[in-house]
Amino acid sequence: MTKMIIHGGTCLSGDVTIGGAKNSTVALIPAAILADTPVQLNMVPDILDVHNLMLILKSMNVRSEFADGMLTIDPTNIVENILPSKAIKSLRASYYFMGALLGKFGEATLSFPGGDNIGPRPIDQHIKAFEALGADVTNNNGTVHIKAGKNGLHGAQIFLDLVSVGATINAILAAVKVKGSTVIRNAAKEPEIIDIVTFLNNMGAKIRGAGTDVIRIEGVEKLEAKNTHIVIPDRIEAGTYLSLAAACGDGVTVHNVIPEHLESFIAKLLEMGVDLEVNEDSIFVPKCDHFKGTEIKTMVYPGFATDLQQPITPLLLKANSRSIITDTIYPERTKHIPELSKMGANIKYRNGSIVIEHTDKLTGQEVSAGEIRAGAAAVIAGIMAEGTTTIYNADNILRGYDNIVDKLTELNADVELLNDDM
Ligand SMILES: CC(=O)N[C@H]1[C@@H](OP(=O)(O)OP(=O)(O)OC[C@H]2O[C@@H](n3ccc(=O)[nH]c3=O)[C@H](O)[C@@H]2O)O[C@H](CO)[C@@H](O)[C@@H]1O
Ligand SMILES: C=C(OP(=O)(O)O)C(=O)O
């Protein structure tokens, strides 16, 4: 495990460039095994999730190489194999191998996926989709076995009971090479889903409607990569740096942003009085001294992302009035509260909502990154605080923040990573 040391109190300025989206990349990599040719992805973020997915690929004899944001994956010699359960459990998105392997071999056996500890994360809707496509699914002590039933896989009508990013993508991966027509209704609309569908369609898939709540798929026999797929920018990483820049910046430009992917987040910052300058693919955050508290409810896209409720919290501590956050997606996503409280934050969990009051001063402390975005909140709080903050379990941050130490250092923050045993 790794710890992050932050000497707080610095004022940030300059430029930061956002990497490719974690939540696209972690689906694109499993999707790549459906290809009948080698595949190239560009703008791939250098994050632990990518390295763990590469280990899973290796266990299936799929060669991958990663350098300077370019990831090459060659699935042409893929074999069915037992997947390494440590790597599977290190991240949530390993569940995309369920859909991808089912689509490739008509069968998948996987341990239950890991990922952030943010409350219950069932996969019943993924299973519902696989079953609708004709698969039999069993779960034996955390090992999920999915196998095409005696009539094989077939196109299907899938109605998701709730809007799920993972179930939508898994249904697409399972159905893209299945004979016949599949329709996914009540599908999630996140930009990452459009990215995966763009990747598949460029290889010959026939998928329409990504970005709406009805996705229609005509199964195809072959998927052949003819060009390099460029991963979309990470809207959650962008939101994290925007929050950081508003909380402790003296003029910061965040580059490689698609502002349309961040509309609800940008609207909140503007509503609070953060005077953002939104350009075509960058956002300038000026020095901000006064802003108001606000109310936030996390929602499915295009609503306010659950993954940004913790990163915006340290900024809300600086507002001159109370803020309230209600996470409707993951109501138990509160691992940051005890850690920020230790640092002096006036923050409480009350009646299912997070109540944040103005806090004059944060002080450096020893805290833990209980999950990726709780870790992001601790990083921002640590930079705002007086003194030194040590964040344990920093691997959770490195799961999804590309080159975070270099990016923060470039902005003038005093941050380093150390092995926990030092
Ligand atoms: C790798 C990845 O892309 N992770 C993102 C993805 O996670 P993930 O795909 O796991 O999240 P979902 O969109 O599936 O979850 C949304 C809600 O549906 C519930 N649910 C989901 C599936 C299911 O079968 N049954 C069920 O009840 C979940 O518990 C949650 O309350 O979307 C989340 C919500 O935007 C983000 O926080 C994660 O960063
Ligand atoms: C919850 C998250 O990730 P994952 O689904 O990969 O655990 C996140 O990125 O905030």
Side-chain angles (χ1 to χ4, degrees), residues 22-23 26 49 91-93 95 114-118 121 236 306-308 310 330 333 371-373 399-400:
K22 158 184 166 284
N23 287 349
V26 297
D49 275 10
L91 79 161
R92 186 74 191 156
Y95 57 27
D116 281 327
N117 186 356
I118 53 183
R121 301 185 79 176
I236 309 300
T306 166
D307 296 351
L308 282 171
Q310 294 164 97
Y330 293 114
R333 199 169 195 181
E371 48 109 344
I372 175 173
R373 310 302 168 190
R399 271 197 55 216

mmCIF file of all heavy atoms in Angstrom, residues 22-23 26 49 91-93 95 114-118 121 236 306-308 310 330 333 371-373 399-400, ligand 2:
data_model
loop_
_atom_site.group_PDB
_atom_site.id
_atom_site.type_symbol
_atom_site.label_atom_id
_atom_site.label_comp_id
_atom_site.label_asym_id
_atom_site.label_seq_id
_atom_site.Cartn_x
_atom_site.Cartn_y
_atom_site.Cartn_z
ATOM 1 N N LYS A 22 -11.343 7.078 -16.937
ATOM 2 C CA LYS A 22 -11.234 5.755 -16.291
ATOM 3 C C LYS A 22 -12.424 4.876 -16.651
ATOM 4 O O LYS A 22 -12.259 3.725 -17.037
ATOM 5 C CB LYS A 22 -11.173 5.956 -14.770
ATOM 6 C CG LYS A 22 -11.581 4.748 -13.943
ATOM 7 C CD LYS A 22 -11.578 5.092 -12.465
ATOM 8 C CE LYS A 22 -12.281 4.098 -11.566
ATOM 9 N NZ LYS A 22 -13.746 4.150 -11.593
ATOM 10 N N ASN A 23 -13.622 5.409 -16.525
ATOM 11 C CA ASN A 23 -14.794 4.547 -16.675
ATOM 12 C C ASN A 23 -15.067 4.145 -18.128
ATOM 13 O O ASN A 23 -15.825 3.210 -18.363
ATOM 14 C CB ASN A 23 -16.026 5.194 -16.029
ATOM 15 C CG ASN A 23 -15.943 5.132 -14.508
ATOM 16 O OD1 ASN A 23 -15.085 4.437 -13.954
ATOM 17 N ND2 ASN A 23 -16.811 5.860 -13.824
ATOM 18 N N VAL A 26 -11.862 1.332 -18.596
ATOM 19 C CA VAL A 26 -12.017 0.033 -17.925
ATOM 20 C C VAL A 26 -13.088 -0.828 -18.587
ATOM 21 O O VAL A 26 -13.197 -2.018 -18.286
ATOM 22 C CB VAL A 26 -12.305 0.207 -16.415
ATOM 23 C CG1 VAL A 26 -11.145 0.893 -15.710
ATOM 24 C CG2 VAL A 26 -13.618 0.920 -16.165
ATOM 25 N N ASP A 49 -6.149 0.684 -12.155
ATOM 26 C CA ASP A 49 -7.181 -0.163 -12.772
ATOM 27 C C ASP A 49 -6.712 -0.693 -14.131
ATOM 28 O O ASP A 49 -6.974 -1.844 -14.479
ATOM 29 C CB ASP A 49 -8.496 0.618 -12.964
ATOM 30 C CG ASP A 49 -9.366 0.602 -11.695
ATOM 31 O OD1 ASP A 49 -8.878 0.172 -10.633
ATOM 32 O OD2 ASP A 49 -10.532 1.044 -11.777
ATOM 33 N N LEU A 91 -10.813 -4.294 -8.724
ATOM 34 C CA LEU A 91 -11.573 -3.220 -9.366
ATOM 35 C C LEU A 91 -12.976 -3.688 -9.714
ATOM 36 O O LEU A 91 -13.240 -4.887 -9.827
ATOM 37 C CB LEU A 91 -10.859 -2.686 -10.620
ATOM 38 C CG LEU A 91 -10.960 -3.478 -11.916
ATOM 39 C CD1 LEU A 91 -10.612 -2.557 -13.069
ATOM 40 C CD2 LEU A 91 -9.996 -4.634 -11.924
ATOM 41 N N ARG A 92 -13.855 -2.714 -9.865
ATOM 42 C CA ARG A 92 -15.249 -2.987 -10.159
ATOM 43 C C ARG A 92 -15.430 -3.503 -11.590
ATOM 44 O O ARG A 92 -16.190 -4.421 -11.858
ATOM 45 C CB ARG A 92 -16.026 -1.669 -9.989
ATOM 46 C CG ARG A 92 -17.507 -1.806 -10.114
ATOM 47 C CD ARG A 92 -18.050 -2.455 -8.886
ATOM 48 N NE ARG A 92 -19.424 -2.847 -9.026
ATOM 49 C CZ ARG A 92 -19.979 -3.799 -8.301
ATOM 50 N NH1 ARG A 92 -19.267 -4.457 -7.414
ATOM 51 N NH2 ARG A 92 -21.228 -4.097 -8.445
ATOM 52 N N ALA A 93 -14.714 -2.851 -12.494
ATOM 53 C CA ALA A 93 -14.991 -3.039 -13.911
ATOM 54 C C ALA A 93 -14.572 -4.406 -14.425
ATOM 55 O O ALA A 93 -14.832 -4.732 -15.585
ATOM 56 C CB ALA A 93 -14.303 -1.956 -14.718
ATOM 57 N N TYR A 95 -16.116 -6.784 -13.899
ATOM 58 C CA TYR A 95 -17.379 -7.437 -14.270
ATOM 59 C C TYR A 95 -17.662 -7.335 -15.770
ATOM 60 O O TYR A 95 -18.483 -8.075 -16.296
ATOM 61 C CB TYR A 95 -18.570 -6.958 -13.446
ATOM 62 C CG TYR A 95 -18.915 -5.478 -13.416
ATOM 63 C CD1 TYR A 95 -18.598 -4.615 -14.450
ATOM 64 C CD2 TYR A 95 -19.615 -4.962 -12.324
ATOM 65 C CE1 TYR A 95 -18.942 -3.278 -14.408
ATOM 66 C CE2 TYR A 95 -19.968 -3.626 -12.261
ATOM 67 C CZ TYR A 95 -19.623 -2.791 -13.307
ATOM 68 O OH TYR A 95 -19.965 -1.462 -13.257
ATOM 69 N N GLY A 114 -14.629 -6.470 -7.404
ATOM 70 C CA GLY A 114 -14.369 -5.608 -6.241
ATOM 71 C C GLY A 114 -14.777 -4.177 -6.551
ATOM 72 O O GLY A 114 -15.892 -3.943 -6.998
ATOM 73 N N GLY A 115 -13.835 -3.235 -6.328
ATOM 74 C CA GLY A 115 -14.139 -1.822 -6.613
ATOM 75 C C GLY A 115 -14.397 -1.072 -5.335
ATOM 76 O O GLY A 115 -14.186 -1.591 -4.244
ATOM 77 N N ASP A 116 -14.859 0.148 -5.493
ATOM 78 C CA ASP A 116 -14.976 1.021 -4.343
ATOM 79 C C ASP A 116 -16.032 0.564 -3.372
ATOM 80 O O ASP A 116 -17.113 0.143 -3.742
ATOM 81 C CB ASP A 116 -15.281 2.437 -4.810
ATOM 82 C CG ASP A 116 -14.021 3.097 -5.285
ATOM 83 O OD1 ASP A 116 -12.964 2.774 -4.706
ATOM 84 O OD2 ASP A 116 -14.073 3.890 -6.214
ATOM 85 N N ASN A 117 -15.689 0.738 -2.103
ATOM 86 C CA ASN A 117 -16.572 0.363 -1.017
ATOM 87 C C ASN A 117 -17.504 1.548 -0.747
ATOM 88 O O ASN A 117 -17.221 2.415 0.062
ATOM 89 C CB ASN A 117 -15.661 0.047 0.181
ATOM 90 C CG ASN A 117 -16.445 -0.490 1.319
ATOM 91 O OD1 ASN A 117 -17.687 -0.564 1.247
ATOM 92 N ND2 ASN A 117 -15.761 -0.845 2.374
ATOM 93 N N ILE A 118 -18.614 1.577 -1.492
ATOM 94 C CA ILE A 118 -19.482 2.756 -1.426
ATOM 95 C C ILE A 118 -20.913 2.352 -1.107
ATOM 96 O O ILE A 118 -21.859 2.993 -1.507
ATOM 97 C CB ILE A 118 -19.418 3.570 -2.745
ATOM 98 C CG1 ILE A 118 -19.704 2.668 -3.954
ATOM 99 C CG2 ILE A 118 -18.084 4.242 -2.894
ATOM 100 C CD1 ILE A 118 -19.593 3.366 -5.309
ATOM 101 N N ARG A 121 -23.550 -2.958 -3.896
ATOM 102 C CA ARG A 121 -23.421 -2.817 -5.356
ATOM 103 C C ARG A 121 -23.839 -4.130 -6.016
ATOM 104 O O ARG A 121 -23.003 -4.878 -6.532
ATOM 105 C CB ARG A 121 -21.982 -2.433 -5.729
ATOM 106 C CG ARG A 121 -21.530 -1.138 -5.105
ATOM 107 C CD ARG A 121 -20.158 -0.718 -5.588
ATOM 108 N NE ARG A 121 -20.214 -0.114 -6.901
ATOM 109 C CZ ARG A 121 -19.141 0.407 -7.518
ATOM 110 N NH1 ARG A 121 -17.971 0.378 -6.946
ATOM 111 N NH2 ARG A 121 -19.263 0.947 -8.720
ATOM 112 N N ILE A 236 -14.791 13.093 -14.477
ATOM 113 C CA ILE A 236 -14.715 13.096 -13.002
ATOM 114 C C ILE A 236 -13.358 13.662 -12.563
ATOM 115 O O ILE A 236 -13.282 14.457 -11.623
ATOM 116 C CB ILE A 236 -14.923 11.668 -12.447
ATOM 117 C CG1 ILE A 236 -16.198 11.035 -13.032
ATOM 118 C CG2 ILE A 236 -14.942 11.693 -10.921
ATOM 119 C CD1 ILE A 236 -17.497 11.785 -12.750
ATOM 120 N N THR A 306 -22.547 11.047 -8.884
ATOM 121 C CA THR A 306 -22.179 10.597 -7.527
ATOM 122 C C THR A 306 -20.661 10.667 -7.335
ATOM 123 O O THR A 306 -20.180 10.988 -6.249
ATOM 124 C CB THR A 306 -22.685 9.153 -7.248
ATOM 125 O OG1 THR A 306 -22.040 8.659 -6.090
ATOM 126 C CG2 THR A 306 -22.428 8.197 -8.388
ATOM 127 N N ASP A 307 -19.901 10.401 -8.409
ATOM 128 C CA ASP A 307 -18.433 10.379 -8.278
ATOM 129 C C ASP A 307 -17.854 11.768 -8.019
ATOM 130 O O ASP A 307 -16.657 11.905 -7.762
ATOM 131 C CB ASP A 307 -17.795 9.791 -9.547
ATOM 132 C CG ASP A 307 -18.181 8.334 -9.760
ATOM 133 O OD1 ASP A 307 -18.798 7.739 -8.860
ATOM 134 O OD2 ASP A 307 -17.873 7.797 -10.837
ATOM 135 N N LEU A 308 -18.702 12.811 -8.114
ATOM 136 C CA LEU A 308 -18.190 14.166 -7.852
ATOM 137 C C LEU A 308 -18.698 14.751 -6.539
ATOM 138 O O LEU A 308 -18.320 15.865 -6.182
ATOM 139 C CB LEU A 308 -18.540 15.097 -9.024
ATOM 140 C CG LEU A 308 -17.620 14.903 -10.235
ATOM 141 C CD1 LEU A 308 -18.126 15.690 -11.454
ATOM 142 C CD2 LEU A 308 -16.187 15.338 -9.904
ATOM 143 N N GLN A 310 -18.039 13.808 -3.446
ATOM 144 C CA GLN A 310 -16.960 13.961 -2.462
ATOM 145 C C GLN A 310 -15.915 14.988 -2.906
ATOM 146 O O GLN A 310 -15.499 15.822 -2.104
ATOM 147 C CB GLN A 310 -16.340 12.600 -2.154
ATOM 148 C CG GLN A 310 -17.339 11.692 -1.448
ATOM 149 C CD GLN A 310 -16.934 10.240 -1.462
ATOM 150 O OE1 GLN A 310 -16.369 9.739 -0.521
ATOM 151 N NE2 GLN A 310 -17.190 9.579 -2.566
ATOM 152 N N TYR A 330 -25.691 6.316 -4.401
ATOM 153 C CA TYR A 330 -25.031 5.550 -3.344
ATOM 154 C C TYR A 330 -25.200 6.298 -2.020
ATOM 155 O O TYR A 330 -24.302 7.035 -1.592
ATOM 156 C CB TYR A 330 -23.535 5.360 -3.650
ATOM 157 C CG TYR A 330 -23.278 4.482 -4.848
ATOM 158 C CD1 TYR A 330 -22.708 4.991 -6.001
ATOM 159 C CD2 TYR A 330 -23.639 3.141 -4.829
ATOM 160 C CE1 TYR A 330 -22.491 4.180 -7.110
ATOM 161 C CE2 TYR A 330 -23.425 2.329 -5.937
ATOM 162 C CZ TYR A 330 -22.851 2.856 -7.063
ATOM 163 O OH TYR A 330 -22.641 2.056 -8.158
ATOM 164 N N ARG A 333 -22.371 6.522 0.580
ATOM 165 C CA ARG A 333 -21.035 6.935 0.119
ATOM 166 C C ARG A 333 -20.529 8.079 0.999
ATOM 167 O O ARG A 333 -20.548 9.250 0.601
ATOM 168 C CB ARG A 333 -21.145 7.364 -1.342
ATOM 169 C CG ARG A 333 -19.836 7.364 -2.040
ATOM 170 C CD ARG A 333 -19.982 7.515 -3.525
ATOM 171 N NE ARG A 333 -18.712 7.148 -4.134
ATOM 172 C CZ ARG A 333 -18.466 7.168 -5.409
ATOM 173 N NH1 ARG A 333 -19.394 7.528 -6.258
ATOM 174 N NH2 ARG A 333 -17.281 6.836 -5.870
ATOM 175 N N GLU A 371 -11.977 5.022 -0.239
ATOM 176 C CA GLU A 371 -12.281 4.689 -1.643
ATOM 177 C C GLU A 371 -11.789 5.836 -2.509
ATOM 178 O O GLU A 371 -11.387 6.881 -1.985
ATOM 179 C CB GLU A 371 -13.775 4.386 -1.833
ATOM 180 C CG GLU A 371 -14.716 5.405 -1.217
ATOM 181 C CD GLU A 371 -15.452 6.247 -2.242
ATOM 182 O OE1 GLU A 371 -15.031 6.278 -3.414
ATOM 183 O OE2 GLU A 371 -16.435 6.890 -1.852
ATOM 184 N N ILE A 372 -11.870 5.671 -3.822
ATOM 185 C CA ILE A 372 -11.214 6.621 -4.729
ATOM 186 C C ILE A 372 -11.643 8.082 -4.496
ATOM 187 O O ILE A 372 -10.817 8.977 -4.371
ATOM 188 C CB ILE A 372 -11.407 6.191 -6.205
ATOM 189 C CG1 ILE A 372 -10.834 7.212 -7.164
ATOM 190 C CG2 ILE A 372 -12.830 5.923 -6.557
ATOM 191 C CD1 ILE A 372 -10.854 6.763 -8.632
ATOM 192 N N ARG A 373 -12.954 8.324 -4.435
ATOM 193 C CA ARG A 373 -13.393 9.737 -4.365
ATOM 194 C C ARG A 373 -13.299 10.293 -2.945
ATOM 195 O O ARG A 373 -13.141 11.510 -2.775
ATOM 196 C CB ARG A 373 -14.797 9.910 -4.929
ATOM 197 C CG ARG A 373 -15.010 9.295 -6.302
ATOM 198 C CD ARG A 373 -14.080 9.821 -7.385
ATOM 199 N NE ARG A 373 -14.166 8.969 -8.588
ATOM 200 C CZ ARG A 373 -13.367 9.024 -9.633
ATOM 201 N NH1 ARG A 373 -12.382 9.900 -9.676
ATOM 202 N NH2 ARG A 373 -13.509 8.206 -10.661
ATOM 203 N N ARG A 399 -6.065 4.249 -8.230
ATOM 204 C CA ARG A 399 -6.950 3.429 -9.082
ATOM 205 C C ARG A 399 -7.483 4.249 -10.245
ATOM 206 O O ARG A 399 -7.826 3.690 -11.287
ATOM 207 C CB ARG A 399 -8.179 2.972 -8.259
ATOM 208 C CG ARG A 399 -8.039 1.689 -7.506
ATOM 209 C CD ARG A 399 -9.432 1.192 -7.117
ATOM 210 N NE ARG A 399 -10.250 1.081 -8.297
ATOM 211 C CZ ARG A 399 -11.557 1.348 -8.341
ATOM 212 N NH1 ARG A 399 -12.203 1.708 -7.261
ATOM 213 N NH2 ARG A 399 -12.227 1.238 -9.459
ATOM 214 N N GLY A 400 -7.632 5.583 -10.012
ATOM 215 C CA GLY A 400 -8.344 6.342 -11.038
ATOM 216 C C GLY A 400 -7.819 7.739 -11.336
ATOM 217 O O GLY A 400 -8.413 8.437 -12.147
HETATM 218 C C1 LIG B 2 -17.043 4.257 -7.830
HETATM 219 C C2 LIG B 2 -16.054 4.452 -8.679
HETATM 220 O O1 LIG B 2 -15.362 3.500 -9.337
HETATM 221 P P1 LIG B 2 -15.616 1.927 -9.478
HETATM 222 O O2 LIG B 2 -16.993 1.740 -10.018
HETATM 223 O O3 LIG B 2 -14.566 1.538 -10.458
HETATM 224 O O4 LIG B 2 -15.422 1.313 -8.126
HETATM 225 C C3 LIG B 2 -15.573 5.821 -9.015
HETATM 226 O O5 LIG B 2 -14.841 5.932 -10.021
HETATM 227 O O6 LIG B 2 -15.885 6.788 -8.298
#
